[in-house]
Amino acid sequence: MNIKKNIKKWVFLTVILSAICIETVSAARLHSCQTATTSSPVLVSTIHAEGQEVAPVDPGEPEGLLETIMTDEERGITIEGALGKDGNYHNLSLHTPMFQCTLLGTQVSNTSYAPLISEADLDGDGQQEIIVNLTYGYGTGAYLNTIQVFRPNGDSVPVEPLSNSVQRQFTTELDKENIQLHVNDQTTTIPVDTFAQPPAANEPNYIHGGDVQQYTVEDNQIHAVYSLQAGTSEFIGELDAVYRYDKGMLRLQPLTLQLDAPYRESGK
């Protein structure tokens, strides 16, 4: 038995296995949360991407070096990302005193729209969840937020997409004289001549929305706003809703319609 040859084989095999382990750990870090109390990554939870609204990421977008893009000194929380050629931050990650996590989506680099961090007891268990509010689009008449929620141990809490709820609860009807807005079992009728740019006959999607999607946190609840507009640029109001925790998920409660003047006065 050639001991020297066998030793060389074992050393070579050990090196290969070590490299495989390192790759596995690195992949785990990219796609999971990691607790801060252990020396090696612990898979607490992967982020629930299905059914959540996040800004699309171009996998071919060249990235710069990772940098800190937001610091909450009071909570000891930071967000890191890499600036891409599109002017947005990619490869986002959340760093808290208890865990580190990958964040889905992108964040604009304009500091006027920096990420927001909030804490609230959203599920009523006496512990504060961490709410991360990112901005992935803005401009004239546009402001697009997305939220992600984490428990104190790093587990992510699924959030029902705002657009899904709007599609389910909001519809419109158009005839020659009026436009009807249906929100659940409530109907509001607005005369066509109220609008600055009246719709063409049978114009589809004349009333549409989503150029503004905004989230705020008040009284241990997440509030959502979804803008409505007529035609290309005539904002008429918004749909408001509150998230509540139900069966392991944050779900939107029934929407309410808030019209601006003069649509509010003419609506019935």
Side-chain angles (χ1 to χ4, degrees), residues 216-228:
T216 57
V217 179
E218 300 174 22
D219 300 324
N220 287 322
Q221 291 182 322
I222 297 175
H223 297 254
V225 171
Y226 187 93
S227 67
L228 293 176

Side-chain angles (χ1 to χ4, degrees), residues 156-172:
S156 64
V157 180
V159 180
E160 180 184 8
L162 180 54
S163 60
N164 284 12
S165 185
V166 170
Q167 291 173 9
R168 188 176 67 251
Q169 301 184 48
F170 177 72
T171 58
T172 64

Side-chain angles (χ1 to χ4, degrees), residues 18-153:
S18 298
I20 293 173
C21 289
I22 291 171
E23 285 297 317
T24 303
V25 168
S26 299
R29 284 181 175 175
L30 287 174
H31 300 290
S32 67
C33 294
Q34 174 187 353
T35 58
T37 55
T38 56
S39 57
S40 60
V42 175
L43 296 183
V44 177
S45 167
T46 54
I47 297 176
H48 297 267
E50 184 177 355
Q52 289 190 225
E53 286 177 314
V54 293
V57 178
D58 179 4
E61 177 67 29
E63 312 296 350
L65 296 176
L66 285 175
E67 58 183 284
T68 299
I69 63 176
M70 193 283 297
T71 300
D72 186 324
E73 295 182 355
E74 182 179 348
R75 297 183 175 95
I77 295 175
T78 60
I79 293 177
E80 294 182 355
L83 187 63
K85 289 186 176 181
D86 61 356
N88 296 321
Y89 285 106
H90 300 252
N91 297 343
L92 302 173
S93 57
L94 174 69
H95 302 259
T96 81
M98 296 304 297
F99 66 88
Q100 300 177 22
C101 249
T102 300
L103 292 173
L104 298 174
T106 61
Q107 166 65 35
V108 300
S109 58
N110 189 329
T111 55
S112 297
Y113 301 92
L116 298 175
I117 298 291
S118 305
E119 290 182 318
D121 182 9
L122 300 173
D123 58 5
D125 66 352
Q127 294 186 305
Q128 302 276 299
E129 279 72 48
I130 297 174
I131 303 108
V132 181
N133 191 329
L134 302 176
T135 298
Y136 65 92
Y138 68 94
T140 303
Y143 184 37
L144 300 171
N145 285 169
T146 183
I147 55 170
Q148 295 167 58
V149 179
F150 300 91
R151 299 188 189 281
N153 64 356

